[in-house]
Amino acid sequence: MWLCPRSTSFETVEGGKFRFHVEISHPLTGLIVRYRGWLKPVSSQGSSEIVSPAVLPSSRQP
């Protein structure tokens, strides 16, 4: 199990939006991917807003 990838994530609801943050790393290579974003619910008129999550470039952390 010590060689398996690790994942850290959390989610919250703020201002009616579902916000999320996800990080995946590996013990030997470090950070693989980190992304965050938000989802907005469909309005009562049937229209929706599609928002792509912000994808942050992979960077090594000290």
Side-chain angles (χ1 to χ4, degrees):
M1 290 301 291
W2 68 271
L3 199 53
C4 291
R6 310 286 195 270
S7 174
T8 303
S9 61
F10 63 88
E11 54 194 42
T12 61
V13 176
E14 298 174 16
K17 295 179 184 176
F18 175 78
R19 297 184 178 271
F20 57 89
H21 179 95
V22 178
E23 292 183 10
I24 300 173
S25 63
H26 190 275
L28 298 178
T29 60
L31 184 64
I32 297 170
V33 66
R34 175 189 302 143
Y35 63 95
R36 62 183 174 192
W38 52 271
L39 302 171
K40 185 176 179 180
V42 175
S43 70
S44 60
Q45 288 83 18
S47 64
S48 64
E49 181 179 346
I50 300 172
V51 179
S52 298
V55 178
L56 303 177
S58 177
S59 62
R60 303 238 178 221
Q61 294 180 349

